[in-house]
Amino acid sequence: MDSQDFLNFAFAAASGVLGWFAREMWTAVKELKADLSKLREEMPRSYVMKEDYRRDIYEIKEMLNKIFDRLDNKVDK
């Protein structure tokens, strides 16, 4: 086995390993994209967006303020 055959074999082996690694990375990226897409669909069902939360809390505080004002008016009479 001369040096050219050895270099050809080493290059083929390295290319095979690199190809396998690239395929594994490609598969992992595709799975991550699918998982991320699924997570984007499920998150709004489980968690509340910050702006929605703030708006709802503001409405509740307004209702409570109206109730407290009415109670204060009742106490004053």
Side-chain angles (χ1 to χ4, degrees):
M1 183 171 191
D2 63 346
S3 63
Q4 185 63 41
D5 289 338
F6 178 73
L7 288 175
N8 286 342
F9 178 75
F11 181 73
S15 296
V17 168
L18 186 62
W20 170 81
F21 182 74
R23 183 182 51 137
E24 290 296 316
M25 292 301 290
W26 182 263
T27 304
V29 167
K30 286 176 80 174
E31 288 175 2
L32 283 173
K33 284 182 181 179
D35 289 345
L36 185 60
S37 175
K38 185 178 174 185
L39 184 63
R40 283 184 180 150
E41 291 175 8
E42 292 176 358
M43 284 226 8
R45 295 181 193 149
S46 302
Y47 299 100
V48 178
M49 289 178 41
K50 190 182 286 187
E51 189 59 37
D52 293 339
Y53 174 75
R54 286 181 180 162
R55 186 175 49 243
D56 291 343
I57 290 298
Y58 179 77
E59 291 174 7
I60 291 171
K61 286 181 179 180
E62 287 296 314
M63 283 187 248
L64 287 173
N65 284 335
K66 288 178 184 178
I67 291 171
F68 290 143
D69 288 342
R70 287 183 183 171
L71 286 173
D72 286 341
N73 288 337
K74 294 281 186 180
V75 168
D76 290 341
K77 289 184 179 182

